[in-house]
Amino acid sequence: MSSQGMNRKRSIPKFGVGIVCFDTAEFMRFKVKQMVGLVDYIIVAMPTRGYLGRTVPDEVSKELHAMEKEGLIKLYCYEPYLCKTVEEAKLQEVELHNRLIFMLQSLGCKYAMISHSDEIVLREDFEFIINTCIEYKPIIYFVKFRQYYKDTCWYCTGGMMRFMPTFVDTRYRISEKVHRSHSISNTRTYILPEGYRSRFEKRKILLHHLSWVRKDLRTKLMLGYRFIGLNEGHIRRVLNSYNNLKEVDGKVRVWVARQSAHGAAFYSHCERPFTLEEASLQQ
């Protein structure tokens, strides 16, 4: 941000980011590095357990407490209630997202971005988004997102152009009615007024979703709400696919988990926006 943007006048709105960190903190330092100095508050929500009662890895707690001690984030610990279905868990995630928006609004933020620990917007793009919000004052700002598999050189090629909300006016909340959409997150569908002002950024700005990039993919499968109902056979097949990629004509065909089942997906080769070594900054 320019020196004028960094030395904010009272008329310039405050920006806050709420991050949910569940099964991994391996990308958190890299993620936060992209926004430090550009936003006013960063709150990280860390659960004490998964939706089925499984313990969150000690490495997650250790890393987040260290980052809070260094003044990089404000940590918010919470205990999820146990869920029997994917729908119950989705609604609980919506409640958490709305709680984070309220917390940021209470701190005086005009704009809040709800994000997860494996979703990265690079600093130059992040700065552009903030400056655009200041100039055009949209109620909500969408950017294209790209989902990766195992490394940042493999991205999902199926489906339509996908968008993810970034900053939203903190007067608004996420709908408790779970929406199924390939264009937006189904736990980040906002209730907005008729004729609201939005911005869909169709430039090269991307939200990089490291959804299937993990040092320990099993932990993701055991803790994430989308995987409630997976049996051990499903998990073994997904892990076997993850650990034995076979490239054919610049693509890999993989098995991914989808709620109580699994299925095939195709990922194509691309130029890395950043390496895993860069993204896995650790203390």
Side-chain angles (χ1 to χ4, degrees), residues 3 6 15 76 87 101 140 177 181 220 231 241 251:
S3 59
M6 291 298 295
F15 290 78
Y76 167 64
E87 278 61 40
I101 296 172
I140 192 168
K177 295 181 180 180
S181 171
K220 174 184 174 76
N231 60 42
S241 174
K251 292 185 179 181

Side-chain angles (χ1 to χ4, degrees), residues 24-35:
T24 182
E26 61 188 286
F27 311 121
M28 276 297 297
R29 287 185 179 272
F30 182 71
K31 178 182 178 71
V32 170
K33 180 181 178 181
Q34 311 307 311
M35 59 185 74

